[in-house]
Amino acid sequence: MSESPALPLRPARRRPAAATRRVSAWLQPQLSGGAREQRDQAVLLLAVAMVVAPHFEHLPLWSTVVIGLMWIWRAWLAQTLKPAPGKFTMALLLIAGTAAVWIEHGTLFGRDASVNFLLVLIGLKVLEMRAHRDVLVIVFLSLFVLQTQFLFDQGLLSAVSMVISVGMLFFVLLSVNLPEGDIALTGKLRYLARVFLMALPLTLTLFFLFPRLSAPLWGSGGDGLQSGTGLSGAMSPGSIKTLLRDDSVALRAKFEKRAPDQRKLYWRGPVFGFFDGRTWSPLPPAFPDTEQRVDVRFEPASAVDYTVTLEPTQRRELIALEFAGRIDDVPTTDARLTPTLELQTGAPIVNRLRYRVRSYTAFSAGPYAADGRLALWLQLPEQYNPRTLEWAAQLKSAAEAESLHDRGSAATRLDRRLVEAVLLQFRRLPFRYNINVAILGRDSVDEFLFDQRVGYCEHFASSFVVLMRAMGVPARVVTGYQGGEINPVDGFFTVRQSDAHAWAEVWLEGDGWQRIDPTAAVAPERIEHTLRERRTEGLAGLQERWTWLGELRLDREALENAWNQWFLSYSADRQRALMSWIGLRPNLENVSAVAVVVFSLLLVGLAILSLRRRAVRDPLAELTFELRAKLIDAGVDVPGTMGLQDMQDHLEARLDPQCMPDTRRLLADLATARYARPVAGRQNLRLRNLRAALRRWRPIRALPPSRHGPAAAPASGRRADCQ
Amino acid sequence: MSAIFQELQPRLVQWLFRNHMEPRGDVTLDRRRVFILPTRAGLIFFLVALTVWFGSLNFNLQLGFLLSFLVMSVSLVGMYQTHRNLVHLAVREQRAVPVHAGEVAAFDFVIDNPTGEARYAVNLAFILPRRRRGVSRRSTEQPLQGVWVDIPASSSERASIGLPTRRRGRRDCPRVRISTRFPFGLWEAWAYVSPQLTTIVYAAPEVDAPPLPGGSGGDRDVSNGIVAGNDDFAGVRPYRPGDPLKSIAWRLAAHSDELSVKLFESSAGEETVLDLSDLPPGVPLEQRLARLTRWVLVAEGAGLRYSLNLPGVQIPTATGQAHRARCLEAIALYPGS
C-alpha cells in the first residue's frame, strides 16, 4: 500500500533512526508498555551499577567479573525483551555464588565476606527481576549495599555518590509507581529535586540532633574495619619505610596560636626499649604498678595549645607533640601518660578522634638521679653486632682518655661526651640519608655502620641507641611523626604517615631523658623542611612543581578536612557540645527534647506547605475577566453570566463593526482554549498568544443610535484612547 | 483481647468513617476525607532504613547515618506528596449506561482537579462485598484493580469503572475507593466515595429465540433487525452504525455524502403485542423474560410498532429508543419468581 504513490494516506516519512527513538524513549513520556519497561529497567540497572561499582575496588576479581556478567546479561535480556532465567538456573547460580564466597573467605560473615555475599545476591536478584516486587527488593538491597561501602570509605566523594544513588533509586520507585501514565524525564527530575529539597532539612535535623550513643552496641564495633596503617607496636626492619611511602593523613592539628617551629614538631608515638637484634619492641612492664608518676621538667613558656584530629589507628596511643602536659576532651576513655611519656587510652582508637592538648616543647623527663630501673634501658641482644660493640668500646675509652686529659671540661660529664662523640662520628663518616635501601642482614647495626652507611631514621635511631647502650648510657628508641604541613586554606596542620620518624632518647645524669635525633645529624634537611620541600627533589616532586596542581591539592584537602571536622567526626560528645552551645545542659534528655521539637516543627511546616491549597486561578477565567473589564472600560456592559457564544451575538450589536473581526477571532480562540482537547505542551503557548491578542485588542463601542445625537463626548474620548 | 477488639471493630470503623461516609453523590476530597497509611512496601522500606541506621550506630558510620536519615526523610516527604496527590480532587458522577446482564456496566465519573498541580496515577476501584473479593490479603502486592487516571493541573478527566453484571434488575453503583500511591509507593492515600448512580441491568436477551409473534407472519429475518422481506418500501433514514450492509441504499449513496438505509414497513400501522402471558407457561420465567427482551430488540430494530404487556405493567404501542428503554426496563424490573 505504502509504495503506491496514488494513495497519500501515509506520507512517505522516514522512520526515525533507532538512536533517536531511544533518546526520545528516555526523555519523553512513554505510553507503550514495552518501551517504558525497557527504559525503567535501564534506569534500575544504572542505579545498581552506581551502587555496586565502588565495591569493585575491594572485591576479589572473580566476584567483580561475575557481578558484571550478570549485569550485562540482564541488560541484554531487557533490551531484547527476553524472559529472565528460570528458577532452576537461579538456584544453581545462588548455590555456586554462595560456595564461591565461602571458598574465598572461609565464612559468610565478617566484613569482606558479607559484603561480597550481598553483592552476589544483588547481582542474582537483578538477573531474575520480573515484577514490581522484585524492583522493590533490589531497591532495598541497594540501600544495604550503599551502606556497606561506608565500611571502607566515608570520604566526601562517597557522600556525593551516595546522594546520587539514592536519587536514582527513588527515580526508579517513581517510575514504577506510574502504572499507566508517564511523566517526561525533566518532569520526574524536577519532582525528585523538589522532594529532596524538602527532605534536606529533615535529614540534617535527624543527623545532627537525633540522639547519638557514644559506644557501639555490640562487639567492638569498628574492630578490624579499617586496615591499620600507622605506627605499629614494634619497629622491625622496613616497617617505617612502608609508612614513608604512604601519603595518607595520620592526624590533623589546629594550633590556637602560631604553630611552633618545624624543628620542634616531634609527635610522640610508641617508645621502644627492647631490642632482639632485628626488632625494637616496648620493654615489658617490669614494675607494673609501682610508681607510675614521672617527674617531668618543662619550660612553661614553651606551651603550645592545639586540637588534634587523629585518624583511627586501631592502637591505644594518642599522638601529641612532645611533651603533652595536659589533654582535654578525649571523648572515649581516660587518657593517661605512661612512664615513657606516651599518651594511652583505655581502648583502641577505632574512630576518628578529636582532643585538645597543651604541650611543652622544651622539656625533660625524670628520673634525674641514677635509678636501678635505668639498667633496663641498657639491654642489648647477646651475640649480635660484634663490630659495633667493639667500636663502642673504642669510642668510650677515647672519650674517657679525653676527659682525663682535658681537665678544663671536667664539668662535662662522660655521658654527654659519649653522645657528642657518636654524633660527631655520624657527621664525619660518609653516612647518607636515603629511603630506598635493602633490608639488612643479621647484624643489622654492624652492616649499617660499617658497610652500607646509607639509610633512614630507623637505621640511625636504632644504631645510635645500640651504640649508646654499648657504652653504658641508658637509651631508647622513640617513634612518631616529625613535622607536618600547614594548609594555608584552612590553617590546619596535616601530619601524614610519610612524616613517620624514629629518634632516640638518652638518659643523662642530672638532666633526665633527653631527645637526640641522630637523623638530624646526618640529614638536617629531613627535620628542617616540610615534606613537600623534600619531595621536590625526588621524582614524586615532579607534579608538585606545577604550583596550581599543588594548590588544587591543598584546596581539596581543606575541603576533605572540613568534611572530616564537621561531619565525620560528629559524635555524641559533639552533639552535647552543641547543646551547651545553645545554652542547654549537655545531656541526652536535652538532645532528645531539642530533636523532637525541631523535627515536629519541620513536620508541621511541611504539612502546612503541602496542605495549603494553592488558590489557583484559572488562567482562562482570568482572561475572560480581563476581556469583560476591557469591554466595561469601553462602555459596553456584559452580564457576568453570559457565555462566550452569547457574548459574540451580544457584542455584534454593541461594538463598532470595524473591531468586530478581531473580537470574533478573540472569542473563538478563547472558546478553543477552553473547550478543545488540550494538546500536551501547547496549552501554555496558546494562553500566551491569547494574552498577547487580548492586550492588543481595542474594543470600540458602536455609535449610539442617532436619537442621542452626535457621538457622546465621553464615548469619543474613549474612542480616541482606544484607538 | 481479640474478642473485645472484634466487638469494638464495627463501632470503631463507624466512628472513624462517621463523618466521611455520609455524603453521597458528588464529593470533594477534602482533608477530612482522605486517609493515609504506609503500604507494605513502605513498612519494609522503613525497616530497611532502620536496619541501616542500626548498623551505622554499631559501626559508627557517619555516612550510614546520613543515608538512613536521608531515605527516611525522603519517604516522609513522600507521605505528604501522596496525600497531596489525592486531596482537593472532586469526584463527579456522570452517568451509568444500562447493559444486559452478563455485560460489564460502566459507571462514568469525572474527576476535577481544581488545583495547580497535576495528579498522577489515581486509582478508582469499586469496593465489592467481601465474598467477591475472595482471595484478598495479598492484594497489597498485586497491582490494584480498577482504572488509573492522570489529571493535569486545572483540568478534568473522565474515569469509567466497569462492573460485571450477572442478574437483571436495578444495580446501584458500589462504593468507590479512590486511592493513590504516587510518587514512591511507600504510602497509600485513599478516600471513599458513595455514588448515587444507579443503572438498570436488562435481562440478557434469549439466544435462538423464536420469531416475533403475530403480524403478517411473513418470512422475517429477525436477527438482522431490518426486515428484508418483500414488504413495501417505506422510505430511508440516515445510516446508523450497526445497520446491515444490504439495507444501505447504495444508489442514493452515490449521489450523496451520507449513507442512507432503506426502510421496509412490512405492515405499516400493524402492531406487535409482546405479552408475557402469551408465552408457554412451561418455560421458566427468566427465560420468558429473556425472550421478551430479545423480541423488544428485534421489534425495535425492525422499526415495528410494539407494545408490552406484563402482569401489572402495560406499555402502550409505540416505537423508538425511549419506548424500547421503557420496555426493557419494565422487563428488567419485573419481580422474579
Side-chain angles (χ1 to χ4, degrees), chain A residues 132-133 136 139-140 143-144 146-147 150-151 153-155 158-159 162-163 166 170 173-174 177-183 191-192 194-196 198-199 202-204 206-207 210-213 215-219 221-222 225 351 563 567-571 599 603-604 606-607 609-614 616 619 677, chain B residues 28 31 40-49 51-85 87-88 114-118 120-121 138 141 143 146-150 152 154-155 157 181-186:
Chain A
H132 185 82
R133 201 174 63 99
L136 289 180
V139 168
F140 296 153
L143 289 179
F144 285 126
L146 266 181
Q147 192 201 18
F150 305 143
L151 293 171
D153 176 35
Q154 296 199 71
S158 288
M162 182 267 278
V163 172
V166 171
F170 275 100
L173 284 182
L174 180 64
N177 276 290
L178 287 168
E180 278 181 10
D182 197 11
I183 312 177
Y191 191 89
L192 276 181
R194 201 172 65 175
V195 167
F196 271 69
M198 283 163 93
L202 290 177
T203 311
L204 292 182
L206 285 173
F207 184 84
F210 196 91
R212 296 291 184 95
L213 303 176
L217 294 177
W218 72 84
L225 286 186
N351 297 307
W563 172 252
F567 218 74
L568 293 191
S569 56
Y570 193 76
S571 62
F599 198 69
L603 285 186
V604 169
L606 268 181
L609 199 72
S610 65
L611 287 183
R612 165 195 58 139
R613 184 178 165 172
R614 265 208 270 158
V616 191
R677 188 166 189 76
Chain B
T28 300
R31 258 175 306 188
R40 208 167 116 146
L43 289 178
I44 297 173
F45 188 86
F46 180 73
L47 274 183
V48 169
T51 314
V52 169
W53 175 80
F54 212 66
S56 312
L57 193 65
N58 193 48
F59 295 108
N60 195 23
L61 301 174
Q62 301 295 326
L63 277 184
F65 280 123
L66 191 66
L67 171 67
S68 64
F69 291 147
L70 177 68
V71 295
M72 282 189 205
S73 303
V74 171
S75 64
L76 256 182
V77 172
M79 173 183 79
Y80 290 107
Q81 296 292 328
T82 304
H83 185 262
R84 194 186 173 84
N85 196 41
V87 80
H88 299 319
T115 62
E117 275 143 15
Y120 299 100
R138 298 189 59 225
E141 269 184 37
V147 291
W148 298 89
V149 275
D150 292 352
S154 314
S155 162
E157 201 65 39
R181 291 177 178 187
F182 185 83
F184 303 128
L186 305 176

Side-chain angles (χ1 to χ4, degrees), chain A residues 522-543:
Chain A
V522 175
E525 74 278 0
R526 165 67 185 81
I527 310 303
E528 283 160 15
H529 300 296
T530 66
L531 183 75
R532 271 179 88 206
E533 290 163 336
R534 293 200 304 275
R535 285 269 195 73
T536 42
E537 291 141 30
L539 252 181
L542 210 60
Q543 65 160 13

Side-chain angles (χ1 to χ4, degrees), chain A residues 25 35 41 59 86 89 99 115 158 197 216 224 252-253 287 342 425 434 528 568 572 643:
Chain A
Q41 282 200 9
L59 275 185
T89 321
V115 167
S158 288
L197 215 62
R252 287 192 170 88
F287 307 91
E342 296 160 75
Q425 294 298 328
N434 192 343
E528 283 160 15
L568 293 191

Side-chain angles (χ1 to χ4, degrees), chain A residues 156 252 354 487 489-490 492 554-570 574:
Chain A
L156 195 53
R252 287 192 170 88
R354 237 159 85 121
N487 187 331
V489 180
D490 57 2
F492 270 85
L554 287 177
D555 282 344
R556 202 197 70 216
E557 287 187 350
L559 193 67
E560 252 166 32
N561 183 35
W563 172 252
N564 290 342
Q565 295 291 331
W566 289 106
F567 218 74
L568 293 191
S569 56
Y570 193 76
R574 298 276 296 279

Side-chain angles (χ1 to χ4, degrees), chain B:
Chain B
M1 190 65 203
S2 69
I4 297 174
F5 184 73
Q6 282 197 343
E7 180 120 338
L8 278 179
Q9 201 189 8
R11 294 179 61 188
L12 197 71
V13 168
Q14 201 183 8
W15 174 78
L16 257 177
F17 296 91
R18 182 185 46 193
N19 292 323
H20 318 292
M21 304 261 300
E22 283 308 313
R24 293 174 63 84
D26 297 355
V27 68
T28 300
L29 307 178
D30 57 26
R31 258 175 306 188
R32 301 187 56 201
R33 271 185 238 289
V34 175
F35 304 93
I36 185 160
L37 275 182
T39 58
R40 208 167 116 146
L43 289 178
I44 297 173
F45 188 86
F46 180 73
L47 274 183
V48 169
L50 206 65
T51 314
V52 169
W53 175 80
F54 212 66
S56 312
L57 193 65
N58 193 48
F59 295 108
N60 195 23
L61 301 174
Q62 301 295 326
L63 277 184
F65 280 123
L66 191 66
L67 171 67
S68 64
F69 291 147
L70 177 68
V71 295
M72 282 189 205
S73 303
V74 171
S75 64
L76 256 182
V77 172
M79 173 183 79
Y80 290 107
Q81 296 292 328
T82 304
H83 185 262
R84 194 186 173 84
N85 196 41
L86 196 62
V87 80
H88 299 319
L89 289 179
V91 182
R92 277 191 283 134
E93 297 167 5
Q94 219 181 24
R95 57 175 181 170
V97 182
V99 291
H100 291 278
E103 296 175 352
V104 174
F107 292 91
D108 288 357
F109 295 90
V110 172
I111 302 164
D112 297 323
N113 176 10
T115 62
E117 275 143 15
R119 310 302 179 90
Y120 299 100
V122 175
N123 177 270
L124 283 96
F126 286 131
I127 303 174
L128 297 175
R130 199 163 291 259
R131 63 188 155 80
R132 282 246 193 131
R133 265 201 292 190
V135 273
S136 101
R137 275 299 164 105
R138 298 189 59 225
S139 61
T140 40
E141 269 184 37
Q142 288 142 3
L144 286 172
Q145 303 301 308
V147 291
W148 298 89
V149 275
D150 292 352
I151 312 135
S154 314
S155 162
S156 301
E157 201 65 39
R158 175 170 302 161
S160 173
I161 326 178
L163 180 70
T165 60
R166 287 189 304 166
R167 285 184 300 174
R168 67 184 175 89
R170 197 181 293 281
R171 187 80 173 95
D172 289 336
C173 179
R175 273 167 65 209
V176 173
R177 187 171 187 275
I178 172 166
S179 64
T180 183
R181 291 177 178 187
F182 185 83
F184 303 128
L186 305 176
W187 298 84
E188 185 177 61
W190 77 96
Y192 296 112
V193 177
S194 308
Q196 280 187 304
L197 286 177
T198 294
T199 192
I200 305 289
V201 180
Y202 300 148
E206 192 186 20
V207 185
D208 296 330
L212 278 177
S216 61
D219 186 19
R220 288 180 183 153
D221 184 352
V222 287
S223 61
N224 263 345
I226 290 177
V227 182
N230 48 2
D231 305 290
D232 301 330
F233 176 68
V236 294
R237 65 162 168 79
Y239 173 80
R240 283 199 296 260
D243 287 338
L245 281 180
K246 63 180 176 183
S247 68
I248 291 178
W250 289 109
R251 280 198 201 150
L252 228 62
H255 300 290
S256 150
D257 287 342
E258 289 177 350
L259 291 177
S260 300
V261 176
K262 289 179 281 190
L263 291 178
F264 298 94
E265 210 155 329
S266 59
S267 41
E270 187 188 335
E271 59 182 59
T272 309
V273 178
L274 306 173
D275 196 333
L276 185 66
S277 51
D278 287 352
L279 294 176
V283 181
L285 173 67
E286 288 303 320
Q287 194 183 339
R288 279 182 281 155
L289 290 172
R291 186 167 301 168
L292 282 181
T293 302
R294 168 66 71 195
W295 282 347
V296 169
L297 297 179
V298 170
E300 180 63 34
L304 300 176
R305 292 169 56 78
Y306 55 96
S307 64
L308 177 72
N309 284 338
L310 298 176
V313 187
Q314 264 81 43
I315 297 175
T317 308
T319 186
Q321 293 295 326
H323 178 64
R324 188 187 78 148
R326 264 185 84 195
C327 295
L328 288 176
E329 190 175 326
I331 300 168
L333 299 180
Y334 185 75
S337 47

